[in-house]
Amino acid sequence: MVTRLVQINMKARDDSALGGFWAQALGWEVSSEGPGVTNLEPEGFVYPDPVAVCIDLVVSQEPKTVKNRVHVDLATTSAAHQAQMVARLKDLGATPADVGQGDVPWTVMADPEGNEFCVLDPRPLYRDTGPIAAVVVDCADPRAMARFWSEATDWTVHEVTDKGARLRSAKGVGPYLEFVRTPDVKSGWNRVHLDVRPYPGDDPEVEAARLRSLGATPVDLGQDVPWRVLADPEGNEFCLLTPS
């Protein structure tokens, strides 16, 4: 048994407005499964499919106080495309952000609610990922994180070093999942986290037990929901959804 990385869950003060920003940024469609939730996915997408990691924006009035440990990197095809994308995102409400990156070829920005993301310089690696080149997670030990997440999901390790690790769906499509070593210490719960889903017919109780055996721990946020909240070995919360 394994799970699939299916979506990013992002907390938002105004899920509709922030969803509108990201829909325009990515060229994706907007829908809603209920009040306080905005769902984003590519046009014509049949959920779930590893060709894309979707985005769910869920309303929360708790303020953002620290740098997110999970963010997205956006792909570009040329230097001109990168410059055009940065300008367009500023017009949509994004702002430049300084996270201590120094002089780098990519552009660090923040969405209208302050969530950091990067507009990458053109790189052949990301030419076929879609608009999201990578979902990036800050961590202390990329090797351990790559080991856990590759065993937890059906994603394959493409590269791993002491400084970073890169995974992708075993089908070789969609964005990468990257773990980048940083000195930052996790503070509070993650406003942006990953959601995984078992395959149809799999038992979520058995899958939750398997994830715990790999190093995940249960998380109690006082939730009364059909999914399970867990944390990976570095304490990053993630949700184990019901099979679909």
Side-chain angles (χ1 to χ4, degrees), residues 166-233:
R166 180 179 293 118
L167 288 69
R168 198 182 192 190
S169 165
K171 294 186 177 180
V173 297
Y176 289 85
L177 175 62
E178 299 182 353
F179 298 96
V180 177
R181 186 170 190 165
T182 67
D184 303 332
V185 177
K186 184 177 184 293
S187 175
W189 59 277
N190 290 347
R191 289 181 62 82
V192 182
H193 70 256
L194 307 180
D195 285 347
V196 300
R197 189 181 290 276
Y199 279 88
D202 285 351
D203 186 333
E205 290 289 350
V206 173
E207 185 56 34
R210 186 185 73 87
L211 292 171
R212 291 195 297 271
S213 75
L214 296 175
T217 52
V219 175
D220 184 3
L221 298 176
Q223 68 276 2
D224 182 17
V225 291
W227 56 86
R228 292 153 182 79
V229 183
L230 301 167
D232 70 19

Side-chain angles (χ1 to χ4, degrees), residues 26-37:
L26 301 173
W28 285 7
E29 294 186 328
V30 180
S31 61
S32 177
E33 63 190 67
V37 180

Side-chain angles (χ1 to χ4, degrees), residues 1-106:
M1 296 175 64
V2 292
T3 64
R4 299 160 288 171
L5 175 56
V6 291
Q7 62 209 32
I8 302 164
N9 185 295
M10 183 182 299
K11 299 298 183 285
R13 294 188 302 275
D14 186 334
D15 63 286
S16 179
L18 193 59
F21 167 85
W22 280 105
Q24 292 183 75
L26 301 173
W28 285 7
E29 294 186 328
V30 180
S31 61
S32 177
E33 63 190 67
V37 180
T38 298
N39 311 103
L40 307 180
E41 58 187 38
E43 182 179 357
F45 183 79
V46 179
Y47 177 93
D49 188 320
V51 73
V53 174
C54 300
I55 299 178
D56 279 7
L57 298 108
V58 180
V59 71
S60 172
Q61 296 308 314
E62 291 192 29
K64 180 180 185 296
T65 58
V66 297
K67 174 181 173 288
N68 290 335
R69 292 189 70 78
V70 181
H71 73 266
V72 296
D73 284 351
L74 304 185
T76 64
T77 57
S78 66
H81 183 210
Q82 182 184 14
Q84 292 166 1
M85 182 179 292
V86 168
R88 185 172 69 86
L89 292 167
K90 286 181 179 177
D91 289 342
L92 293 175
T95 54
D98 186 351
V99 294
Q101 69 270 21
D103 184 16
V104 293
W106 59 89

